[in-house]
Amino acid sequence: MTVPTEAYVALSAALFAIGAMGVLIRRSAILVFLSVELMLNAGNLALVAYARHWAGFDALAGLSGQTVVFIVLAVAAAEVAVGLGILVAIFRDRSSTDVDALSGVRL
Amino acid sequence: MTGAWSDPVAWAALAPLFALAGALLVGLFGRRWPEPLPGVVASLAIAAAFVVAAVASVGLLGRDAGVALTLWPFLPVAGLDVSVGVVVDPLAATFLLIITGVGLLIHVYSIDYMRDDDGNARYFALLNLFVASMLVLVLADSLVLLFVGWEGVGVCSYLLIGFWYRQRANADAGRKAFIVNRIGDAGFLLASFLVAATFGTLTIADANAQAGSFAFGAGVLTAIGLLFLLAAAGKSAQLPLHVWLPDAMAGPTPVSALIHAATMVTAGVYLVARLSPLYAQAPAASAAVAWVGALTALIAAVAALAQTDIKRILAYSTVSQLGFMFAAVGAGAYAAAVFHVFTHAFFKGLLFLAAGSVIHALHGEQDVRRMGGLGRRMRLTGSSALVGTLAIAGVPLLSGFFSKEAILGGVWNSTLVEDYGSRLLFALLLVTAGLTAFYMFRWYHRVFCGESRLARDVAAKVHESPGTMTAPLVVLAALAAVAGYLGLPAFAFPNWIKSWLAPSLASVGALHPPLWVEWLLVAASVVAAAAGLAAGWWIYERGRGALAERVGGGVMGRFARDGLGFDAAYRAGAVSTAEGLAAGLAVADRDLLDRGIAAGVTTASWLGRAVAAWQSGFVRLYALATLIGLTALAVVVAALGGRA
Amino acid sequence: MATFTVLAVVMVVGALGVVLLRQPVHAALALVGTLLALAVTYVTLEAHFLAAIQVIVYAGAIMVLFLFVLMLLNVQRSIGPQRSLPGLRWAAYATAVVLATAVALVAFWDGRPAPDPAVVSLHLQGGSAAGIADVLFGELLLAFHLVGVLLLTGVVGAVALVQRHDGSAHGAPKAGGPLPAPEGPVGSGRGRKRGALAGGRRS
């Protein structure tokens, strides 16, 4: 029997929430980044699940959903490249990746 | 309407326009003109007005009625049609001549007096503006236009009293004058409302005509009369609104001469004279006028005895003389009052200008205790001042004698206030006449006679004033000497001024006692004058002057010098109340408003700081905030059953 | 169903590992596990091409890049959540739980009838490359081009970011090589405490 779409959505939500938790909890910038990737993937999961759902009615809808995921993947890749480049540049300057210390705004 | 302009009498309506044009020219451009030009332009404007006034007066000779000219409609309201118009009749023409004639002399005098003053152009512009307003007041045919002139002279008076406004005292004096005047103005307005309600018109001639159809002594007429008395008392400095005039001496001396001796203060007398038909029908109101005048005359004369400032003596003297005029109009002797206005303008104007000449020569000294013996060094000023002194004292054959005699006779023989103590009024006025002679002798003697009490450095530089200042003095002295012959005692001689003014004034029947009584009255006033002068001679010339001055400096003297307690009473009553109220409001303003607003500010900044905590720069906090927002959204959608 | 449950459990465990594991490398590997499980999930969802791409690009390229940088920067065991903002941890936990619950509830309440698997297979054709290509070069052509531009931008940006401005990249190599002190040879982070590598506070 087919797993209902809602199950996948719930799973996606859980992964997203966990990723969000990670963003807030982790001190090191790289680990924050890792959590962000997790969140992205959770989103992808939801997209694919819905793509399959709507594919039951219309082919284009289903395939479009998967194509969007494809694009998201590409974007994620570019984002990671640039983000890690930024991180490296910051680390060069400060020798630290502590997120709290990175802020330029003083209270 | 256009045909009326061919009548030279109607040209008098142009007089205020000349003065106004002068005011505008000098006011707008005078600041850039070299020194005597503003004064010359202003004087020329007044000269033009004088010419027109003279032509109109000549034109009125031999006519029995004046010219009434409606210029344009102003307030065409149903039931009350007010238009702007002028009335040129003998009464108006008399005042026109006084205002423009004496005004011209004072303008010329001012050219040298106000030389090198920073506000030279402003002074002449204001002086012209004042003359324009006064002319409007005198020419007005309706109470509305009269009030316009009334207010105009009040404003100019305020501006000119406080002319040297950088000294606080001068500005305060101007403010005091304006506020006291304002009280009178309230009376004027109330009276006008009553007139409109009663007669259905605000045109003076119509109101006067209708007054005759009311019962003699009708309540509404009395009410109107009393309210106009309030207005006149404010403008003419009568009890209890006289307190502003002595302080008004803070202005330049020519201003005191023009406004506070010759013209503005006589506006009250003019008002009552204009409304004489109304007052003639309201004996109670007339009696009030007369009594106010007599009491003022006496009290002011007493106050004048104790003054030490050369101008304040004259100021109280003016108040006193105005009291005489009020007594006359109250008693029904309207022509006598106007005659006294006429002669008073000459000798009081002369006295003020002489005082100005002295002040100018002494470089600002105004305390008579530091003057003396100036008659030897300033011959022209001294002799013209002597003429003025004798005239005001009522020395026979000078103008003051004739006009004062007319007033005294008119009061004694009055039928209008016969039941209100006319004989007692006469007695008060007679005593005042004696006091007048005495204090004026004192004035003259302290300034011009005896040994010099001048400060050393001032004494060295004393000299006679320049020609433009002494020429008006001479002219006024001549007028003060001979003008009286226009109004010889009516019982025995042709009284020209009475017949000249008759068409404009109500005729009130007078008693006609036997001839010997009349001559006795004349003698009484001569005796009073003589007694006053003799007393002055005995005290001052005979060397008891120092003693007298010490008496004057005692408790009673100081009481008199401070205006017999009126200023103190007003200060305790009205001024303190107002200041207390202001202080109370200041507390409310400071504590309620300022603290309240400060509390608001504190709250706002507290709120700001609280919110600023969100801008900590702490990235994880931002992230948390974002997440919370997203969660909230999800919760809301869930709460709505999944369908948003 | 069973497949789904297993995969779900793996993914959640892996996610928790990413968030909670102390050693950064362990966390990265946990994520790799999650991603692989995700790829299998895609397969069950008739998205075969995507599954392949997921493994190749995400788990294969992106995670490898992560690991490279982790080792390059020699990130030591991360300091646990400190008291920099008291309550942040619990706020995060609570919010996350609420969020997940809310979304799940919405999904379940707004449930639609599950699609017919036969129809799905027909339409998706297993999510083959051909099908995706049809859409990518047809319907979403503009997006495709924009992604191309984005990737170009990313490349340029990444290069610009790591470029050195003191010219040493083109001149003689400095002593110690192109890598900045105080990193020593890759992996020998132990004992190299100076330079505040352990994420100590600075400024």
Side-chain angles (χ1 to χ4, degrees):
Chain A
M1 65 155 266
T2 358
V3 181
T5 319
E6 298 83 50
Y8 287 104
V9 174
L11 176 61
S12 161
L15 288 174
F16 186 87
I18 293 172
M21 238 164 56
V23 168
L24 291 172
I25 290 178
R26 292 295 209 177
R27 279 297 280 277
S28 173
I30 298 182
L31 294 172
V32 168
F33 219 162
L34 225 48
S35 313
V36 171
E37 294 306 310
L38 184 55
M39 289 161 77
L40 267 170
N41 279 285
N44 280 349
L45 175 59
L47 273 168
V48 172
Y50 272 117
R52 187 198 65 156
H53 181 96
W54 293 115
F57 306 97
D58 173 26
L60 185 61
L63 285 168
S64 301
Q66 294 190 355
T67 314
V68 168
V69 172
F70 181 80
I71 291 178
V72 170
L73 254 157
V75 170
E79 168 217 337
V80 165
V82 175
L84 287 176
I86 293 176
L87 267 167
V88 168
I90 289 176
F91 183 82
R92 242 194 248 154
D93 183 51
R94 297 170 196 240
S95 308
S96 151
T97 54
D98 186 337
V99 172
D100 291 342
L102 285 175
S103 166
V105 174
R106 300 259 177 269
L107 235 193
Chain B
M1 219 319 242
T2 35
W5 283 106
S6 60
D7 186 347
V9 175
W11 297 346
L14 293 173
L17 286 175
F18 291 135
L20 191 58
L24 280 173
L25 272 175
V26 178
L28 289 174
F29 307 114
R31 231 179 338 171
R32 293 179 234 123
W33 292 344
E35 259 278 313
L37 195 55
V40 168
V41 169
S43 306
L44 284 174
I46 304 300
F50 178 70
V51 165
V52 175
V55 165
S57 307
V58 167
L60 276 174
L61 283 172
R63 270 201 251 198
D64 21 290
V67 168
L69 210 58
T70 308
L71 294 173
W72 65 83
F74 180 56
L75 211 59
V77 176
L80 192 71
D81 203 341
V82 177
S83 40
V84 171
V86 297
V87 165
V88 188
D89 64 356
L91 178 62
T94 312
F95 271 84
L96 276 178
L97 286 172
I98 297 174
I99 297 165
T100 53
V102 177
L104 177 60
L105 291 170
I106 292 179
H107 272 76
V108 171
Y109 179 93
S110 301
I111 294 178
D112 249 310
Y113 192 83
M114 298 300 287
R115 184 180 284 276
D116 296 327
D117 192 300
D118 282 340
N120 190 287
R122 175 165 59 103
Y123 172 85
F124 280 106
L126 284 174
L127 215 57
N128 264 18
L129 187 62
F130 168 82
V131 171
S133 305
M134 191 74 201
L135 289 172
V136 166
L137 194 159
V138 161
L139 286 170
D141 74 335
S142 67
L143 286 172
V144 173
L145 191 60
L146 202 152
F147 194 60
V148 170
W150 189 269
E151 290 295 295
V153 298
V155 166
C156 292
S157 169
Y158 161 75
L159 289 169
L160 283 165
I161 292 174
F163 182 73
W164 291 309
Y165 55 85
R166 294 213 164 83
Q167 267 83 52
R168 178 66 193 266
N170 300 339
D172 284 349
R175 197 176 44 157
K176 183 175 180 180
F178 195 75
I179 292 177
V180 175
N181 254 243
R182 255 311 180 213
I183 300 174
D185 294 348
F188 192 104
L189 285 171
L190 288 172
S192 306
F193 298 153
L194 208 49
V195 165
T198 314
F199 301 122
T201 174
L202 282 171
T203 313
I204 298 178
D206 293 344
N208 279 342
Q210 290 185 40
S213 56
F214 277 69
F216 185 77
V220 63
L221 293 179
T222 309
I224 294 176
L226 288 173
L227 286 168
F228 273 125
L229 169 61
L230 181 61
K235 193 62 83 180
S236 300
Q238 298 296 290
L239 250 53
L241 299 174
H242 65 286
V243 291
W244 64 271
L245 193 52
D247 283 3
M249 297 298 112
T253 308
V255 166
S256 306
L258 181 61
I259 299 185
H260 306 126
T263 44
M264 185 181 100
V265 291
T266 55
V269 181
Y270 172 80
L271 183 67
V272 178
R274 253 279 171 253
L275 295 167
S276 48
L278 195 147
Y279 275 96
Q281 284 284 89
S286 296
V289 174
W291 273 100
V292 164
L295 287 172
T296 307
L298 184 61
I299 291 179
V302 169
L305 290 173
Q307 300 300 318
T308 50
D309 181 299
I310 188 176
K311 283 173 69 177
R312 274 179 95 98
I313 299 175
L314 295 178
Y316 275 106
S317 167
T318 306
V319 174
S320 179
Q321 294 299 306
L322 287 166
F324 269 90
M325 298 175 215
F326 267 65
V329 283
Y334 305 110
V338 175
F339 186 36
H340 200 60
V341 169
F342 189 65
T343 58
H344 178 264
F346 299 141
F347 54 69
K348 194 46 74 57
L350 165 63
L351 288 168
F352 266 110
L353 292 186
S357 181
V358 166
I359 295 171
H360 189 82
L362 297 183
H363 294 285
E365 177 60 70
Q366 287 188 224
D367 193 327
V368 298
R369 294 172 293 192
R370 289 197 277 275
M371 297 180 188
L374 287 171
R376 291 188 288 277
R377 321 272 286 274
M378 303 174 69
R379 293 207 174 274
L380 267 176
T381 304
S383 19
S384 35
L386 181 61
V387 173
T389 308
L390 293 176
I392 193 175
V395 165
L397 303 186
L398 294 176
S399 60
F401 164 71
F402 289 112
S403 58
K404 206 173 290 194
E405 169 49 37
I407 291 180
L408 288 170
V411 169
W412 179 272
N413 292 326
S414 168
T415 52
L416 197 53
V417 294
E418 213 181 347
D419 308 324
Y420 294 90
S422 60
R423 304 294 152 93
L424 185 53
L425 282 169
F426 175 87
L428 287 177
L429 290 175
L430 195 63
V431 169
T432 310
L435 286 175
T436 307
F438 177 70
Y439 71 66
M440 283 314 299
F441 185 91
R442 171 176 174 261
W443 180 87
Y444 180 77
H445 194 269
R446 291 263 103 190
V447 176
F448 294 100
C449 304
E451 328 87 54
S452 163
R453 294 180 302 281
L454 297 168
R456 207 156 298 278
D457 51 335
V458 175
K461 289 182 274 178
V462 166
H463 58 84
E464 182 58 88
S465 299
T468 46
M469 280 171 70
T470 51
L473 287 177
V474 171
V475 172
L476 284 173
L479 286 168
V482 305
Y485 292 100
L486 291 170
L488 298 169
F491 59 85
F493 306 93
N495 188 323
W496 183 80
I497 201 160
K498 202 160 177 181
S499 51
W500 156 254
L501 288 170
S504 310
L505 303 170
S507 59
V508 178
L511 300 174
H512 292 286
L515 220 51
W516 65 269
V517 174
E518 298 272 16
W519 279 112
L520 198 57
L521 293 175
V522 175
S525 72
V526 174
V527 165
L533 290 173
W537 171 274
W538 189 74
I539 292 181
Y540 288 98
E541 184 63 22
R542 280 271 162 255
R544 296 175 190 79
L547 175 67
E549 290 306 298
R550 264 214 306 283
V551 168
V555 169
M556 286 301 293
R558 263 179 286 122
F559 182 64
R561 186 161 66 238
D562 296 332
L564 287 100
F566 273 91
D567 277 321
Y570 282 138
R571 168 148 280 279
V575 179
S576 306
T577 314
E579 283 177 352
L581 187 64
L585 286 175
V587 164
D589 178 44
R590 195 173 41 246
D591 290 338
L592 293 178
L593 290 178
D594 286 351
R595 294 245 178 88
I597 292 177
V601 167
T602 317
T603 311
S605 57
W606 175 84
L607 267 175
R609 262 197 300 277
V611 174
W614 286 97
Q615 299 276 334
S616 57
F618 195 59
V619 176
R620 292 202 276 165
L621 193 59
Y622 297 166
L624 178 61
T626 315
L627 192 64
I628 290 177
L630 181 63
T631 309
L633 193 60
V635 167
V636 166
V637 170
L640 288 173
R643 297 177 189 277
Chain C
M1 197 65 204
T3 327
F4 171 75
T5 321
V6 170
L7 287 168
V9 167
V10 172
M11 277 196 274
V12 170
V13 167
L16 287 170
V18 172
V19 170
L20 298 174
L21 285 171
R22 292 279 155 118
Q23 293 280 2
V25 177
H26 296 177
L29 289 174
L31 186 59
V32 172
T34 307
L35 293 176
L36 289 174
L38 193 57
V40 178
T41 313
Y42 287 166
V43 171
T44 65
L45 284 170
E46 304 262 349
H48 304 305
F49 182 66
L50 272 179
I53 294 297
Q54 172 86 349
V55 172
I56 295 171
V57 172
Y58 232 119
I62 294 177
M63 291 318 299
V64 168
L65 183 60
F66 257 110
L67 285 164
F68 268 140
V69 173
L70 270 172
M71 292 178 196
L72 180 70
L73 299 187
N74 211 0
V75 177
Q76 302 289 18
R77 51 167 279 162
S78 76
I79 309 99
Q82 274 185 356
R83 313 287 175 278
S84 56
L85 191 67
L88 182 67
R89 250 202 318 155
W90 296 105
Y93 294 156
T95 314
V97 167
V98 171
L99 179 63
T101 319
V103 175
L105 281 176
V106 170
F108 278 106
W109 287 342
D110 197 17
R112 309 286 167 88
D116 180 9
V119 181
V120 169
S121 297
L122 178 67
H123 282 156
L124 284 180
Q125 304 283 328
S128 66
I132 292 192
D134 272 338
V135 177
L136 194 61
F137 296 110
E139 178 99 1
L140 299 182
L141 182 62
L142 182 61
F144 171 70
H145 280 289
L146 287 175
V147 167
V149 172
L150 179 68
L151 287 171
L152 178 64
T153 312
V155 168
V156 172
V159 171
L161 276 167
V162 299
Q163 207 165 54
R164 290 174 173 275
H165 296 284
D166 53 4
S168 60
H170 297 292
K174 280 165 74 168
L179 300 175
E183 292 96 335
V186 166
S188 72
R190 189 167 310 152
R192 285 275 190 174
K193 291 295 189 207
R194 69 175 210 63
L197 277 180
R201 292 200 150 245
R202 238 181 123 241
S203 94

